């Protein structure tokens, strides 16, 4: 019995120790239990003191359980807000993490969309460039075909000699047919420098298209050409002639008079019309007089002798449009050569002068023996 009793007491003490470790308040019950155990031993040994010490032991055991339970509940009650806070913190942390992940995902999607949009724009740009290049090539092909059909030759202007004469970059001299600007080289006529400056500003270094009428060159080896600054769709359309033909620009702006030499008469009627317009508007050289400042189809002398001048121009074969094709009907003064003529007229004589003789007019500009 004694062994059983002490075994039970040991188990109880160990149990209460465990309770005390889990809940420190349970040590109070253990202390009461140990006091009861001490009193019980005193009573058994000496039959003294409190003889009901077993109740104290029982009370200590029960108190230990009670206090352990109460302490556990209190701990849980005290820790409940902390647990809630932890849960809340964990929830907020999880929510923040989710928001961060969502934000990163949104950024990735946005970056992906931007990359796709950029790729689309680049593809469109490449496609646009291809179309533009294809259109440009087609336009060039169409231009080449149009130029070929109209007999146009593309050249670059190297320099300008005067208002109606240019030189290509490959060294060929070109005389603009159908027009005559005032002289500005070997001799100077009024408004000649202005005409030369206009041609220089409009053509120097530019690409142009040259068109032959009938005659290829004059007696000086200069090409006789119509000059286009752009390829016309219809080279006989008046609007296109006004806009794209440089010969017409000279006449329309009063820098040249129309000057016709057979057989290069394809645009002669247009040039005369443009010349009359410029004269009526007092443009350029026409502002200096009704006869202009050089010779041409609209001069009164040329109009009065148009039939004979046509024959003279045709017979000359020079197609040098630097003057009109008129000449005086007969000479009252005759000189064997220019040396003799210059003794009397040092600067030479025009076609309307009595001393004019076509044999002295080597360049067929209707001005004999000019220096």
């Amino acid at each position: 019995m004694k062994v059983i009793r002490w075994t039970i007491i040991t188990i109880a003490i160990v149990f209460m120790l465990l309770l005390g470790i889990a809940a420190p308040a349970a040590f109070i019950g253990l202390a009461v239990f140990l006091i009861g155990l001490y009193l019980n031993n005193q009573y058994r040994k000496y039959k003294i003191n409190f003889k009901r010490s077993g109740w104290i032991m029982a009370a200590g055991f029960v108190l230990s359980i009670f206090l352990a339970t109460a302490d556990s509940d209190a701990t849980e009650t005290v820790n409940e807000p902390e647990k809630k806070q932890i849960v809340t913190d964990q929830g907020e942390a999880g929510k923040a993490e989710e928001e961060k992940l969502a934000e990163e995902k949104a950024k990735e999607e946005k970056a992906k969309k931007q990359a796709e949009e950029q790729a689309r724009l680049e593809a469109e740009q490449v496609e646009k460039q291809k179309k533009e290049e294809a259109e440009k090539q087609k336009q060039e092909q169409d231009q080449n075909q149009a130029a070929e059909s109209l007999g146009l030759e593309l050249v670059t202007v190297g320099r300008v000699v005067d208002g109606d004469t240019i030189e290509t970059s490959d060294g060929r001299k070109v005389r603009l047919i159908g027009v005559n600007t005032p002289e500005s080289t070997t001799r100077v006529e009024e408004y000649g420098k202005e005409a030369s400056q206009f041609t220089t500003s409009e053509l120097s270094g530019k690409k142009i298209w040259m068109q032959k009428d009938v005659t290829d060159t004059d007696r000086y080896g200069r090409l006789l050409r119509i000059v286009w600054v752009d390829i016309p769709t219809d080279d006989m359309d008046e609007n296109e002639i006004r806009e794209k033909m440089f010969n017409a620009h000279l006449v329309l702006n009063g820098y040249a008079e129309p000057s016709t030499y057979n057989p290069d008469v394809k645009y002669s009627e247009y040039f005369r019309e443009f010349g009359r317009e410029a004269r009526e508007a007092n443009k350029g050289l026409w502002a200096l007089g009704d006869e202009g400042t050089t010779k041409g189809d609209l001069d009164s002398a040329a109009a009065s002798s148009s039939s004979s001048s046509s024959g003279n121009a045709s017979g000359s074969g020079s197609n040098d449009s630097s003057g009109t094709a008129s000449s005086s009907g007969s000479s009252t003064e005759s000189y064997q050569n220019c040396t003799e003529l210059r003794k009397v007229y040092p600067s030479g004589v025009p076609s309307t002068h009595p001393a004019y003789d076509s044999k002295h007019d080597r360049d067929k500009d209707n001005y004999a023996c000019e220096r």
Side-chain angles (χ1 to χ4, degrees):
M1 288 294 294
K2 188 176 181 180
V3 174
I4 295 174
R5 175 173 173 273
W6 280 105
T7 300
I8 294 172
I9 290 172
T10 302
I11 292 173
I13 291 173
V14 171
F15 178 72
M16 285 186 288
L17 284 172
L18 294 174
L19 289 177
I21 293 171
F27 283 118
I28 297 173
L30 177 61
V32 173
F33 182 85
L34 291 175
I35 291 171
L37 180 61
Y38 173 75
L39 293 174
N40 184 269
N41 287 336
Q42 290 294 318
Y43 174 75
R44 287 180 176 278
K45 189 183 240 185
Y46 303 107
K47 302 296 184 181
I48 59 173
N49 295 329
F50 188 61
K51 61 181 179 180
R52 292 189 176 184
S53 57
W55 289 102
I56 295 174
M57 293 171 62
F61 183 79
V62 172
L63 180 62
S64 181
I65 295 173
F66 174 77
L67 291 176
T69 304
D71 186 61
S72 177
D73 292 339
T75 301
E76 290 180 359
T77 302
V78 172
N79 291 335
E80 187 65 27
E82 295 180 359
K83 291 180 179 180
K84 289 182 178 179
Q85 183 64 37
I86 292 172
V87 172
T88 302
D89 293 343
Q90 290 177 345
E92 291 179 353
K95 185 177 180 181
E97 185 67 22
E98 290 178 357
E99 290 177 353
K100 184 177 180 181
L101 292 174
E103 185 177 353
E104 290 178 353
K105 186 176 180 181
K107 287 181 179 179
E108 290 177 357
E109 291 179 353
K110 184 178 180 180
K112 183 179 179 181
K113 288 181 179 179
Q114 289 178 343
E116 291 176 351
E117 181 67 15
Q118 183 67 24
R120 184 183 66 80
L121 292 175
E122 290 177 355
E124 289 180 355
Q125 185 67 23
V126 170
E127 186 65 23
K128 183 179 179 181
Q129 289 177 351
K130 288 182 179 179
K131 288 182 179 179
E132 289 177 351
E133 289 176 358
E135 290 177 359
K136 185 177 180 181
Q137 290 178 354
K138 186 177 184 302
Q139 287 177 355
E140 290 178 353
Q141 290 176 354
D142 292 342
Q143 282 187 341
N144 293 335
Q145 290 176 357
E148 185 177 354
S149 66
L150 296 173
L152 304 182
E153 178 188 0
L154 178 63
V155 297
T156 301
V157 178
R159 71 182 185 95
V160 172
V161 179
D162 63 8
D164 54 25
T165 306
I166 62 175
E167 186 175 305
T168 63
S169 59
D170 56 6
R172 293 178 294 169
K173 284 189 177 181
V174 181
R175 177 64 167 79
L176 277 63
I177 58 176
V179 300
N180 185 35
T181 62
E183 296 296 326
S184 63
T185 53
T186 57
R187 59 189 176 89
V188 178
E189 294 178 317
E190 284 189 287
Y191 219 69
K193 294 296 183 182
E194 290 83 351
S196 180
Q197 289 170 1
F198 176 75
T199 302
T200 299
S201 65
E202 293 295 310
L203 297 187
S204 184
K206 304 289 181 62
K207 291 184 182 297
I208 59 171
W209 283 264
M210 300 193 307
Q211 182 183 36
K212 185 178 77 171
D213 190 346
V214 175
T215 310
D216 186 40
T217 61
D218 63 9
R219 61 186 298 180
Y220 305 106
R222 297 178 300 184
L223 298 175
L224 297 174
R225 295 292 186 268
I226 295 294
V227 168
W228 296 88
V229 295
D230 197 4
I231 299 175
T233 304
D234 180 359
D235 66 342
M236 293 304 293
D237 181 80
E238 182 174 344
N239 290 329
E240 293 208 77
I241 293 172
R242 288 175 179 269
E243 293 176 5
K244 301 177 180 180
M245 184 193 290
F246 184 72
N247 305 52
H249 292 173
L250 287 171
V251 180
L252 285 166
N253 290 286
Y255 291 105
E257 294 189 36
S259 181
T260 303
Y261 277 79
N262 287 321
D264 301 307
V265 297
K266 183 175 181 177
Y267 300 102
S268 59
E269 290 302 320
Y270 289 112
F271 293 156
R272 292 191 187 100
E273 177 188 344
F274 300 158
R276 285 189 286 269
E277 288 182 17
R279 183 168 63 180
E280 290 174 3
N282 290 322
K283 286 186 176 180
L285 55 81
W286 299 110
L288 302 175
D290 291 338
E291 297 292 309
T293 61
T294 189
K295 297 176 178 60
D297 293 352
L298 302 187
D299 293 347
S300 57
S304 64
S305 59
S306 59
S307 60
S308 63
S309 67
S310 297
N312 183 43
S314 177
S316 69
S318 68
N319 263 305
D320 182 357
S321 303
S322 61
T324 65
S326 65
S327 65
S328 60
S330 62
S331 298
T332 58
E333 298 181 37
S334 178
Y335 297 91
Q336 185 176 1
N337 52 46
C338 284
T339 302
E340 296 297 325
L341 187 146
R342 289 194 189 106
K343 290 179 180 179
V344 181
Y345 305 105
S347 298
V349 294
S351 61
T352 55
H353 195 280
Y356 176 83
D357 191 333
S358 61
K359 69 179 182 180
H360 300 324
D361 186 3
R362 293 183 178 181
D363 57 1
K364 301 303 178 185
D365 64 347
N366 293 308
Y367 206 98
C369 299
E370 69 270 29
R371 292 184 181 276

